[in-house]
Amino acid sequence: MKIKTFGKTGKKVFVLGLGTYGHGEAYGGIGKENSINVMKKVVEKFSDEAYVLIDTAPRYGLGEVEEWIGELFEKSNEKVLITTKGGRHIDEGRVNEKDFSSNFLREDLNNSLKRLKTNKIFLYQLHNPNINIIKEGKVFDLLESFKEEGKIDWYGISINVAEEGIEAINYCEKNNLSGLTSIQIIYNALQRENYKELFKLAKNNNIAIIAREPILRGFLTNKYSKKDDFEKYSAAVKKQIKLFGKNQLFFKLKELKDLLEKYNISSMTEFAIKFSILDENITVSIPGINREEYIYQDLSAVNLEIDEELLEDLSKISDLKK
Ligand SMILES: NC(=O)c1ccc[n+]([C@@H]2O[C@H](COP(=O)([O-])OP(=O)(O)OC[C@H]3O[C@@H](n4cnc5c(N)ncnc54)[C@H](OP(=O)(O)O)[C@@H]3O)[C@@H](O)[C@H]2O)c1
């Protein structure tokens, strides 16, 4: 299915959206002109029958990517649903510091509204709060008040592990907070286990699942080799090496490569994109498309046929472990 309903919002979205992390400095940055060109083209190509979800955050390009989105969609936004995030500082000396206090979140939201040149944000996501903040729940009461004030239509949460999503849904359900509409998870061919309970709960509560990092931050392209000098690569690429260790990462990539060869799948990237939307519980996958040619590659991946046996074999390859 290429068109999905985005949780409680009832909006129809194309199953591929756009992640803009790599439009900022994370993978080296692509600059305003390229970013705007990619965003325009994505919307043109993905919006035939549904909205296109564009995911951003103040953190991406330290506010610049939000500004570019604001500039591009200020006058014509009828085909896009914009989502940004809150809870991380971007000012010098504090970049990426998490802060989910009421004062900071309110200020952060107001700054995003300004940069996005809008009065209301479709979906406002918490940018990876830790589990204690989620369990305490005050932050969801605050998001509900942003909704009542008309500053956001809906809210969601970006998480690192399934338990965080489960706690978020449970808190909102128990406290009759109806604005929670999405959970953003890490989801790709080598990071897809342990979501069963979260998926079930999300489905029962009509909550959308956003799959992020579908290409494992560029690694599911086969373009890196274990012998590469990762010091010369961007922060986002180096982070993956640090997180999983070279040996494990390249061992798993080799296992996946061999498997795809067995089933005559020539493009690991296309497989990765298709994999990220195969599960019926995934509402939208947001590849970090940062070059125009990726748009066509990802669109073609949507139509890739995947053998059930391949998926069974893939399930025997365990997830990457931190
Ligand atoms: N905490 C959070 O909430 C959080 C964290 C991470 C990501 N996200 C969101 O999730 C989105 C996706 O994650 P991501 O961008 O980190 O990683 P990704 O989508 O797994 O990988 C993106 C990278 O893969 C490479 N690539 C090669 N072929 C591609 C193709 N056909 N389509 C797209 N990319 C291709 C590009 O790198 P090259 O430039 O090297 O070609 C690109 O930067 C982000 O952009 C962001 O919106 C959220």
Side-chain angles (χ1 to χ4, degrees):
M1 263 187 13
K2 295 182 191 176
I3 309 293
K4 299 277 186 95
T5 303
F6 195 81
K8 295 170 194 158
T9 77
K11 299 274 189 200
K12 302 285 179 209
V13 288
F14 187 55
V15 73
L16 288 186
L18 170 68
T20 60
Y21 184 35
H23 287 221
E25 78 299 337
Y27 294 91
I30 60 171
K32 180 176 174 179
E33 203 181 315
N34 290 325
S35 170
I36 287 190
N37 180 45
V38 167
M39 289 193 273
K40 257 190 203 158
K41 281 269 155 48
V42 164
V43 176
E44 191 185 312
K45 300 293 171 193
F46 290 2
S47 69
D48 263 2
E49 301 163 60
Y51 289 103
V52 182
L53 187 81
I54 298 187
D55 177 82
T56 194
R59 165 88 179 82
Y60 305 167
L62 305 182
E64 278 188 329
V65 179
E66 282 191 333
E67 278 171 12
W68 302 338
I69 290 174
E71 201 175 306
L72 181 60
F73 298 112
E74 186 183 10
K75 297 218 166 64
S76 79
N77 65 357
E78 51 291 323
K79 291 178 173 176
V80 289
L81 300 174
I82 308 288
T83 175
T84 192
K85 310 187 188 84
R88 292 196 194 192
H89 287 272
I90 60 166
D91 36 318
E92 221 186 314
R94 298 187 78 180
V95 174
N96 223 15
E97 190 185 305
K98 290 186 188 179
D99 187 345
F100 295 92
S101 64
S102 305
N103 282 348
F104 178 67
L105 263 186
R106 188 168 281 283
E107 182 191 321
D108 209 19
L109 171 61
N110 286 336
N111 287 335
S112 286
L113 284 164
K114 264 187 232 142
R115 287 189 290 259
L116 289 166
K117 297 188 175 56
T118 182
N119 298 324
K120 203 179 197 186
I121 289 166
F122 169 69
L123 173 67
Y124 196 60
Q125 301 169 89
L126 298 174
H127 206 161
N128 300 90
N130 71 33
I131 191 80
N132 296 334
I133 304 252
I134 299 171
K135 279 185 176 166
E136 182 197 42
K138 254 176 28 197
V139 74
F140 298 106
D141 301 322
L142 181 68
L143 289 171
E144 197 70 28
S145 62
F146 291 162
K147 184 168 162 32
E148 277 158 21
E149 289 165 31
K151 292 186 170 203
I152 61 175
D153 285 311
W154 300 95
Y155 53 88
I157 177 169
S158 189
I159 60 166
N160 289 324
V161 291
E163 187 198 354
E164 295 162 350
I166 292 170
E167 292 290 345
I169 298 176
N170 284 339
Y171 181 89
C172 290
E173 198 199 2
K174 242 185 251 155
N175 293 281
N176 291 319
L177 305 181
S178 59
L180 180 76
T181 199
S182 66
I183 308 281
Q184 183 176 140
I185 63 170
I186 298 173
Y187 189 79
N188 59 57
L190 294 176
Q191 294 174 285
R192 76 287 171 188
E193 293 167 7
N194 302 328
Y195 285 120
K196 214 169 158 190
E197 195 186 336
L198 173 63
F199 284 171
K200 197 170 153 204
L201 195 62
K203 194 174 183 179
N204 290 342
N205 286 276
N206 203 7
I207 283 176
I209 299 284
I210 303 174
R212 75 171 188 258
E213 301 168 47
I215 312 174
L216 192 60
R217 300 195 163 182
F219 279 87
L220 296 180
T221 52
N222 238 339
K223 78 175 186 179
Y224 298 112
S225 123
K226 197 177 172 182
K227 293 192 188 99
D228 281 343
D229 169 17
F230 284 96
E231 280 316 303
K232 70 175 191 216
Y233 287 115
S234 62
V237 169
K238 273 194 268 190
K239 199 173 161 196
Q240 294 301 85
I241 295 285
K242 205 170 155 202
L243 211 55
F244 303 114
K246 250 191 204 179
N247 286 344
Q248 181 194 198
L249 190 54
F250 284 96
F251 180 79
K252 295 275 178 207
L253 285 170
K254 172 81 168 63
E255 278 188 294
L256 181 61
K257 186 174 172 238
D258 292 346
L259 182 67
L260 298 182
E261 262 168 29
K262 181 176 155 196
Y263 288 93
N264 293 320
I265 295 201
S266 56
S267 165
M268 188 186 278
T269 313
E270 289 188 23
F271 173 77
I273 293 291
K274 181 68 185 206
F275 180 85
S276 73
I277 57 173
L278 268 184
D279 191 301
E280 57 157 5
N281 292 294
I282 301 295
T283 313
V284 54
S285 164
I286 48 166
I289 300 168
N290 55 0
R291 297 166 209 250
E292 191 178 332
E293 65 260 32
Y294 294 163
I295 301 173
Y296 309 104
Q297 185 174 30
D298 295 359
L299 259 185
S300 118
V302 172
N303 297 317
L304 192 70
E305 296 287 338
I306 306 282
D307 210 316
E308 275 300 318
E309 275 176 50
L310 190 167
L311 295 176
E312 253 171 61
D313 281 351
L314 178 65
S315 69
K316 292 173 199 148
I317 302 179
S318 59
D319 264 13
L320 283 161
K321 301 272 181 291
K322 281 183 195 165

